[in-house]
Amino acid sequence: AQTVTQSQPEMSVQEAETVTLSCTYDTSESDYYLFWYKQPPSRQMILVIRQEAYKQQNATENRFSVNFQKAAKSFSLKISDSQLGDAAMYFCAYRSPGTASKLTFGTGTRLQVTL
Amino acid sequence: GAVVSQHPSWVICKSGTSVKIECRSLDFQATTMFWYRQFPKQSLMLMATSNEGSKATYEQGVEKDKFLINHASLTLSTLTVTSAHPEDSSFYICSARHSGTGGRIQYFGAGTRLSVL
């Protein structure tokens, strides 16, 4: 079974600075999807960014980018120019291909953004 | 982006009663929907996978007779907590897999806070 590990329970960043959230996973599959979801205090889960394992290029969405290292099974999220609205719980997630496959979530990292 | 509507957002009920939670994909079809439970300051725990027109697949340890799931259409899945007890109090989240994206993207509802007195 796949596992997802987020080793940072909490992180803090100053407004306008950059922060990187770590995620590692364990799998024997060669094709899969990786995701970062954000859960603000409202508890609405929001998709931040996704990466297909077969793509070597790192995904980018505005201020959010990932560093995908397939061999190392690492999938970190970089948030640039941090804003107060970025404060939330961030979950890394793994999914196998196939319509019936399930998301496996990490334990989450709580990000605080300070002035 | 795609919207998943979950209703109600908060429900309080007496012990022994049943509660139904609805999950609708508003602007896309979802052959597969998921139900999660989230305890305070913890990650999401998958309860069951709901496929349109067929029986739900429950995760190990989840009582299927207690948590009834119905996925009668491509846009609606319901979770009924039967004979609720205080230990069922939790935050329940539904999620729908967007069929139009080849199932690659999964969108989440805003969750339902269940409080059983």
Side-chain angles (χ1 to χ4, degrees):
Chain A
Q2 292 81 20
T3 58
V4 178
T5 302
Q6 292 179 251
S7 59
Q8 306 155 315
E10 291 190 6
M11 291 284 284
S12 183
V13 64
Q14 282 191 323
E15 200 176 17
E17 297 296 309
T18 296
V19 64
T20 299
L21 308 184
S22 301
C23 173
T24 59
Y25 57 94
D26 187 26
T27 184
S28 58
E29 298 174 319
S30 59
D31 191 20
Y32 47 86
Y33 304 108
L34 295 165
F35 305 85
W36 279 98
Y37 281 92
K38 169 185 178 181
Q39 189 179 41
S42 68
R43 303 188 77 170
Q44 168 77 62
M45 294 285 283
I46 302 166
L47 176 64
V48 175
I49 200 166
R50 76 176 194 274
Q51 174 85 39
E52 286 95 343
Y54 67 87
K55 291 185 177 179
Q56 292 185 340
Q57 187 173 7
N58 289 322
T60 299
E61 288 288 341
N62 300 314
R63 297 183 296 106
F64 299 87
S65 62
V66 297
N67 183 2
F68 173 47
Q69 301 289 328
K70 191 172 184 179
K73 298 179 182 175
S74 171
F75 182 61
S76 60
L77 174 70
K78 186 172 82 171
I79 306 174
S80 304
D81 187 25
S82 298
Q83 301 175 358
L84 293 177
D86 295 333
M89 197 75 171
Y90 286 82
F91 292 99
C92 177
Y94 171 103
R95 186 166 80 82
S96 304
T99 55
S101 61
K102 303 172 285 191
L103 277 174
T104 299
F105 286 96
T107 51
T109 296
R110 182 170 301 280
L111 178 66
Q112 291 184 328
V113 182
T114 59
L115 294 171
Chain B
V3 177
V4 174
S5 173
Q6 188 172 339
H7 179 80
S9 58
W10 192 7
V11 57
I12 303 173
C13 69
K14 292 183 178 179
S15 185
T17 61
S18 294
V19 173
K20 179 184 284 188
I21 303 170
E22 289 190 350
C23 180
R24 294 180 184 273
S25 55
L26 295 186
D27 48 2
F28 65 96
Q29 292 186 334
T31 54
T32 305
M33 290 186 173
F34 304 86
W35 288 95
Y36 297 85
R37 186 171 179 175
Q38 187 178 31
F39 292 101
K41 298 185 179 181
Q42 293 190 23
S43 188
L44 281 69
M45 181 189 76
L46 180 65
M47 298 174 65
T49 301
S50 167
N51 292 295
E52 186 265 336
S54 63
K55 290 184 179 180
T57 302
Y58 291 82
E59 294 299 302
Q60 192 173 7
V62 178
E63 299 177 59
K64 61 180 180 182
D65 294 331
K66 179 165 194 60
F67 298 100
L68 299 179
I69 292 172
N70 183 280
H71 193 161
S73 77
L74 287 172
T75 59
L76 174 64
S77 177
T78 61
L79 167 68
T80 301
V81 183
T82 63
S83 186
H85 287 94
E87 59 265 29
D88 299 323
S89 298
S90 190
F91 193 70
Y92 294 87
I93 305 175
C94 75
S95 179
R97 192 160 286 171
H98 195 319
S99 302
T101 65
R104 289 189 298 275
I105 300 179
Q106 196 166 317
Y107 296 96
F108 287 79
T112 297
R113 184 181 303 280
L114 171 63
S115 298
V116 185
L117 304 178

